Amino acid sequence: NLLSILELYGIYFRESSDIIKYDISGYKTNFLIELNLTLFKISTLKSKTFQTLTNLKSLCLNSNEINKIESNAFFNLKKLEVLKLATNKIEELNEDMFLDLKNLKDLDFSSNQIIKLQPNCFGELKCLKCLTFDRNRIKILDKNAFNGCENL
């Protein structure tokens, strides 16, 4: 049983680490290429939550309650190309937030509460082509926030 696309809606998880406890046994999730976790009420993305999903290309975490993204939350997602974090409660982006996302092309942070972009917060995202920030409250934009983003 290979699972390549998984869409789950409206299941309550307090932390992202609870996702891997969700019963999808019988499926080889290392072949998963798309994961949609819209409306899960996730508030924290814990470090290394998705580390076993090494073939993941698209991760949608829209419409949750995410207010904290721990460093290495996206650890080992080297093939990820699309990351959707729209309509959450994220306030700040840090430079260690996107480690390992070497192939990320599309990043969506629209409709959050972002007020500050730290220096080099996108430094690891060399392939980034589309960055969406509409409907945020950005007050502090460090001049070095986009260092390394040659394709934007």
Side-chain angles (χ1 to χ4, degrees):
N1 255 351
L2 298 180
L3 186 64
S4 62
I5 299 174
L6 178 61
E7 293 191 43
L8 302 171
Y9 296 94
I11 299 171
Y12 178 74
F13 293 119
R14 180 164 287 133
E15 296 180 346
S16 59
S17 57
D18 292 339
I19 295 164
I20 53 177
K21 296 174 191 166
Y22 186 72
D23 186 12
I24 52 175
S25 58
Y27 294 101
K28 295 180 179 179
T29 56
N30 58 320
F31 290 100
L32 197 63
I33 56 171
E34 288 183 35
L35 180 58
N36 187 336
L37 299 171
T38 300
L39 295 169
F40 272 62
K41 298 184 181 177
I42 299 167
S43 60
T44 302
L45 290 181
K46 299 286 242 177
S47 180
K48 300 182 180 180
T49 295
F50 306 103
Q51 69 179 339
T52 60
L53 305 178
T54 55
N55 287 304
L56 202 63
K57 289 189 175 186
S58 177
L59 177 59
C60 181
L61 295 161
N62 290 342
S63 301
N64 280 287
E65 297 174 2
I66 299 169
N67 58 26
K68 183 176 182 185
I69 301 175
E70 293 183 0
S71 56
N72 289 314
F74 306 109
F75 178 76
N76 213 22
L77 295 182
K78 293 173 176 46
K79 294 182 181 180
L80 196 70
E81 295 177 3
V82 177
L83 178 58
K84 305 275 184 200
L85 287 157
T87 318
N88 280 289
K89 298 178 179 180
I90 301 164
E91 293 183 1
E92 188 173 329
L93 301 180
N94 301 310
E95 71 178 285
D96 61 353
M97 204 173 272
F98 305 112
L99 299 175
D100 268 358
L101 298 181
K102 309 287 185 215
N103 288 304
L104 195 69
K105 294 178 177 128
D106 184 351
L107 179 59
D108 185 355
F109 276 106
S110 58
S111 299
N112 272 282
Q113 299 170 10
I114 298 170
I115 55 173
K116 184 176 184 179
L117 296 179
Q118 297 280 3
N120 303 310
C121 61
F122 303 110
E124 296 292 319
L125 305 178
K126 309 284 186 216
C127 294
L128 194 63
K129 292 181 180 179
C130 181
L131 179 61
T132 309
F133 269 104
D134 59 310
R135 295 181 307 272
N136 275 284
R137 304 177 193 171
I138 298 173
K139 294 179 182 172
I140 302 170
L141 178 61
D142 188 276
K143 67 180 182 177
N144 296 314
F146 298 99
N147 279 356
C149 295
E150 297 122 19
N151 294 315
L152 278 180

